[in-house]
Amino acid sequence: MSEFKSKRVVLLATLALLMLVFGALPIEAADFNGVKVHYKDMNGTPNIYTWTDTASPSGAWPGSAMESEGDSWYVASFEGYTSLNIIFLPSAGGQSANLSRSQGEWWYKDGVWYASDPEGSSTGESITVHYKDTNGAPNIYTWIDTVKPAGAWPGSAMASEGDSWYVSSFDGYNSLNIIFISSTGGQSADLSRTAGEWWYKDGVWYDTKPGGSNNVASADVDNLRIYQVMVESFQDGDSSRNYGAGYGPSFHNGDLKGITNSLEYIKSLGANAIWMTPLFNSVTGDVRGQATGYFADDYYNVDPNFGTNQDLRDLINKAHSLGMYVFLDGVFGHHGANPISGVVDGAAQWYGSEIVYPSSLEYFKNVATYWIEEYGIDGWRLDQAYQLYQNGHNYWHEIKAVVESAAQARKDRGEEWGTLGYMVGEIWKGQNEINQEGYSQDGLESCFDFPMRYSLVQVLATQEHTDQSGAYGQPASVLNQGLASHDIYPSYAHPNLMLTNHDLVRFGDLIQRAPNLGYGKENSDYWKRYKAAYSFMAAYTGPITIYYGDEIGREVEGFIYEGDLGYYDDHVSRDNGKISGLTTEENDLKDYIAQLMNMRAEHPALWNGDRTNLIANQTQYADLKIDLETGEKIVYVLNTGTQSTTISISSSQIGGNKLVDLLSGDQINNSGTYYINVDGLSGRFLLIQ
């Protein structure tokens, strides 16, 4: 770092001398090919620490001092880098989150990145938009009230960035209305953006540049309503194919035809995607381990106990015909005991071996793309995703790149399905580990939201280990703390919230396990707690996953405490699927969840909305959700207490003339304060009009 800085000083001195000699002559600045960052520190000189996969350009931790620019701004430049990971260490102590920037010049102030000097205008904000036009230079027209920053219609030409991308920046604005006019004369819809940097391509906004990375459209991912099934225990559609043994209390007769026969039921719940636990051929180890599918010996063929490759193709085609995505379960960090050509094995794990990277990278890149290219699957759920973070490198970056490329190739060919390329990782840890082992280094864009899930069960039931502090009986404010865990993640992250999965204890059994509750289906509050939990999920920004049986309030009869695997007992969640012969209570819960999912699909403020917490106390919770695309505003309120309550929200906080309940149609007029009655263990969704 010292050698780099000394060369820079010499260069600056030389340029200064040239300016003195040729002061009257214009000097064209040389192109800068690297990453330049500015940082505001009111208290003194900050440090900057930067790193890539193999280098630390600013030196060893804690990096190097930044150079003063005056007015409390500091700068650091890194020539020759297309992207960098960054941590700022302010002079007063502490440090920023793990940040990253691509090639170019950037300003960072008060936790926000800017593409131009935020103090160069009265608002300290700016809007930069990029537009893809493969036919030539487009125009951009912008307006806000009576001001037209890009000039009169049809606006002004956008500047070329290469590769058919064009850019325009508007300093001093925190929101703009926008119309793009393509080079062929067409125009976009009336759009809008707030302060920040945005990319617009094929009718979709992105908050990072789409292309080889971060290529999954937010509008498609955040609106995912996934239904998870355990293949070996869900439904028996072919009595000649089954394991008949496995973990948990099911008959273990599940197969692909059983799932195919159930797709209309799954669709009726308002789900638009299905995730199946692993279905590749397993022949080694204990039969119970084989039945789970999590120790495959052959990644290119379906386990005969589940069906055939053609059965899988039939399932995928039928799901697509019903408008549903299909996700397979990718176990790319371990496999069964038999050696696999192209895979390098490491330590033994359960019934097989852990996998070594990068030696095995090409094999699993091929597996990940094969099922997209040949069968049209829409993405992957990724088991124990932390296993691909090895020796400080996140190998999901490379696999994600080829998955998205394969999906994009299908899209370019005009295919309707197999074009999403969604990948969601299971990292059953806290937010810091999820961030490091999943999202870092331009890795995964979605991981399961275990931190938020634990907050949800701590408020409405209990976490599995009841002896841990805060395991149960927590106030509604813990929900806000759970969502705040997202702050550490990069802007492109799409956490996926679930209530149960095949490793966790069913929510119904957690209600029974909670020392402060201890009741089951015989108590009406049991069903209300399920409804309250799913109302929270319906209001969640980002993709969500429903585990089979939760939609009917399943629990294992008589089960209260731990069994064969301790606190996380497979007996609780790996039971027989049930899609008919439902009780009155089961039908009522199923219908309510279907109503929630269909409502969620129709209102982008729920799945795509910016969230502002309004209330979070002992039993009352309220969020304001705003969809920046449509301007739709919804207030979600939840009462976690058992008695009815009135939640008061000032109209100055949310505006509007009235609130309309999206489920009941009831209206609440603005009297200066909105008084919202909420039954015990209930949520409400109120559209602001």
Side-chain angles (χ1 to χ4, degrees):
M1 184 63 188
S2 59
E3 179 184 0
F4 176 81
K5 288 179 66 176
S6 65
K7 288 180 179 179
R8 188 175 186 279
V9 170
V10 171
L11 176 61
L12 290 173
T14 303
L15 288 173
L17 179 61
L18 287 172
M19 286 295 290
L20 289 172
V21 176
F22 302 102
L25 298 177
I27 295 178
E28 184 175 347
D31 290 337
F32 174 73
N33 294 312
V35 179
K36 179 184 287 187
V37 291
H38 306 259
Y39 180 71
K40 186 81 170 184
D41 191 329
M42 303 295 294
N43 300 305
T45 303
N47 266 31
I48 184 172
Y49 177 71
T50 60
W51 76 99
T52 65
D53 293 341
T54 58
S56 300
S58 59
W61 182 268
S64 57
M66 300 182 70
E67 296 183 19
S68 175
E69 301 180 283
D71 197 26
S72 298
W73 279 101
Y74 297 82
V75 65
S77 297
F78 304 93
E79 184 82 35
Y81 289 91
T82 58
S83 65
L84 279 179
N85 300 300
I86 298 167
I87 295 176
F88 294 108
L89 295 92
S91 56
Q95 64 186 64
S96 71
N98 291 359
L99 309 169
S100 63
R101 284 291 94 178
S102 57
Q103 189 175 71
E105 187 171 13
W106 310 93
W107 283 256
Y108 192 76
K109 177 186 177 185
D110 298 331
V112 177
W113 282 111
Y114 299 87
S116 59
D117 185 351
E119 297 180 350
S121 62
S122 59
T123 68
E125 295 182 311
S126 66
I127 299 174
T128 297
V129 291
H130 307 258
Y131 180 73
K132 184 83 168 184
D133 191 330
T134 57
N135 298 304
N139 266 31
I140 185 172
Y141 176 72
T142 60
W143 77 99
I144 179 169
D145 296 328
T146 59
V147 179
K148 298 176 176 62
W153 183 267
S156 56
M158 300 183 72
S160 175
E161 301 180 283
D163 195 29
S164 300
W165 279 101
Y166 297 83
V167 64
S168 292
S169 294
F170 303 93
D171 292 337
Y173 295 91
N174 55 27
S175 65
L176 277 179
N177 302 300
I178 298 168
I179 295 176
F180 295 108
I181 301 97
S182 72
S183 56
T184 56
Q187 67 183 60
S188 70
D190 291 0
L191 308 169
S192 64
R193 285 290 93 180
T194 54
E197 186 171 22
W198 310 93
W199 284 257
Y200 193 76
K201 177 187 176 187
D202 297 331
V204 177
W205 282 111
Y206 300 84
D207 56 9
T208 52
K209 184 178 180 180
S213 64
N214 305 329
N215 196 34
V216 178
S218 296
D220 294 323
V221 168
D222 287 343
N223 199 20
L224 285 173
R225 304 176 302 281
I226 304 169
Y227 188 80
Q228 181 202 351
V229 298
M230 191 88 186
V231 176
E232 55 98 2
S233 60
F234 180 56
Q235 288 290 309
D236 184 4
D238 183 351
S239 59
S240 69
R241 300 182 184 278
N242 63 76
Y243 266 99
Y247 289 107
S250 84
F251 297 129
H252 310 291
N253 291 337
D255 51 47
L256 292 179
K257 286 190 176 180
I259 299 170
T260 303
N261 296 339
S262 306
L263 288 174
E264 288 88 354
Y265 169 85
I266 296 170
K267 176 72 174 179
S268 75
L269 298 173
N272 65 351
I274 181 172
W275 150 35
M276 295 173 285
T277 53
L279 42 77
F280 301 132
N281 197 15
S282 303
V283 297
T284 60
D286 187 292
V287 67
R288 294 177 302 170
Q290 294 175 34
T292 69
Y294 282 103
F295 294 91
D297 296 279
D298 177 359
Y299 284 84
Y300 287 97
N301 288 292
V302 169
D303 190 323
N305 289 299
F306 297 151
T308 66
N309 285 24
Q310 185 59 46
D311 289 337
L312 176 59
R313 192 182 295 277
D314 293 343
L315 186 158
I316 293 168
N317 290 340
K318 181 176 179 180
H320 286 165
S321 73
L322 292 170
M324 298 172 64
Y325 295 110
V326 178
F327 304 129
L328 299 186
D329 205 317
V331 188
F332 298 166
H334 58 273
H335 70 91
N338 283 344
I340 299 175
S341 178
V343 175
V344 176
D345 294 341
Q349 178 185 6
W350 288 83
Y351 305 113
S353 301
E354 294 184 4
I355 295 166
V356 176
Y357 285 82
S359 312
S360 308
L361 182 59
E362 289 306 311
Y363 178 88
F364 285 101
K365 286 165 65 174
N366 291 333
V367 170
T369 54
Y370 171 81
W371 294 96
I372 294 173
E373 294 165 346
E374 300 298 325
Y375 286 72
I377 71 163
D378 304 286
W380 293 91
R381 180 267 184 184
L382 304 161
D383 187 61
Q384 296 187 19
Y386 58 85
Q387 291 183 320
L388 268 71
Y389 185 84
Q390 296 185 13
N391 298 317
H393 185 88
N394 189 354
Y395 289 100
W396 289 121
H397 171 80
E398 287 83 357
I399 294 180
K400 182 187 71 172
V402 297
V403 164
E404 292 185 349
S405 178
Q408 186 63 45
R410 289 179 64 88
K411 186 175 183 179
D412 292 343
R413 294 198 304 267
E415 301 280 359
E416 182 179 5
W417 297 98
T419 60
L420 184 62
Y422 177 62
M423 297 170 66
V424 55
E426 178 215 23
I427 301 177
W428 192 352
K429 302 181 181 181
Q431 62 264 32
N432 291 320
E433 292 88 351
I434 292 171
N435 190 54
Q436 180 70 19
E437 299 168 4
Y439 293 127
S440 73
Q441 301 172 25
D442 193 17
L444 295 173
E445 294 181 19
S446 187
C447 291
F448 284 111
D449 197 353
F450 283 94
M452 182 64 246
R453 181 267 180 183
Y454 279 101
S455 294
L456 189 55
V457 299
Q458 287 165 2
V459 172
L460 291 171
T462 182
Q463 68 183 50
E464 283 78 357
H465 196 317
T466 59
D467 293 338
Q468 290 183 346
S469 175
Y472 58 91
Q474 292 300 297
S477 56
V478 167
L479 299 174
N480 191 47
Q481 296 170 20
L483 290 171
S485 68
H486 296 179
D487 293 346
I488 193 175
Y489 301 148
S491 60
Y492 57 76
H494 299 270
N496 184 320
L497 180 60
M498 72 297 180
L499 187 62
T500 310
N501 66 23
H502 58 285
D503 292 317
L504 297 167
V505 173
R506 280 201 184 276
F507 184 66
D509 292 289
L510 292 181
I511 295 172
Q512 296 180 70
R513 182 181 292 193
N516 61 327
L517 304 176
Y519 48 73
K521 293 179 178 180
E522 76 285 353
N523 191 313
S524 61
D525 281 358
Y526 174 94
W527 302 97
K528 292 178 182 178
R529 289 184 183 277
Y530 254 112
K531 289 183 176 181
Y534 270 96
S535 77
F536 185 87
M537 289 181 64
Y540 177 85
T541 295
I544 59 174
T545 298
I546 302 170
Y547 186 63
Y548 81 95
D550 269 10
E551 78 277 6
I552 57 172
R554 285 302 293 268
E555 50 87 26
V556 176
E557 194 69 31
F559 180 90
I560 297 177
Y561 214 55
E562 70 273 8
D564 68 336
L565 288 182
Y567 293 103
Y568 297 94
D569 181 3
D570 293 336
H571 283 147
V572 188
S573 59
R574 303 183 186 186
D575 51 347
N576 291 321
K578 182 182 178 182
I579 63 173
S580 62
L582 306 181
T583 67
T584 300
E585 293 86 357
E586 289 171 340
N587 262 316
D588 179 63
L589 177 58
K590 177 179 71 70
D591 291 345
Y592 177 73
I593 290 178
Q595 192 178 14
L596 289 180
M597 294 303 107
N598 290 317
M599 174 193 67
R600 176 178 167 86
E602 295 172 2
H603 292 280
L606 296 176
W607 51 264
N608 194 46
D610 274 9
R611 181 187 78 96
T612 300
N613 182 249
L614 303 173
I615 297 171
N617 55 39
Q618 187 66 32
T619 60
Q620 296 181 339
Y621 182 88
D623 276 340
L624 172 63
K625 305 293 296 294
I626 302 176
D627 178 50
L628 299 179
E629 285 295 300
T630 63
E632 181 183 62
K633 298 181 180 180
I634 294 175
V635 175
Y636 168 67
V637 296
L638 175 66
N639 176 10
T640 65
T642 57
Q643 303 300 314
S644 61
T645 190
T646 299
I647 295 178
S648 303
I649 300 175
S650 171
S651 61
S652 63
Q653 290 181 277
I654 61 175
N657 296 315
K658 62 182 177 181
L659 305 179
V660 179
D661 191 305
L662 292 175
L663 295 181
S664 69
D666 293 344
Q667 298 184 9
I668 303 171
N669 293 321
N670 183 356
S671 61
T673 298
Y674 292 105
Y675 296 100
I676 305 166
N677 296 322
V678 191
D679 291 337
L681 296 171
S682 297
R684 296 186 70 179
F685 303 82
L686 303 163
L687 180 68
I688 301 176
Q689 291 186 344

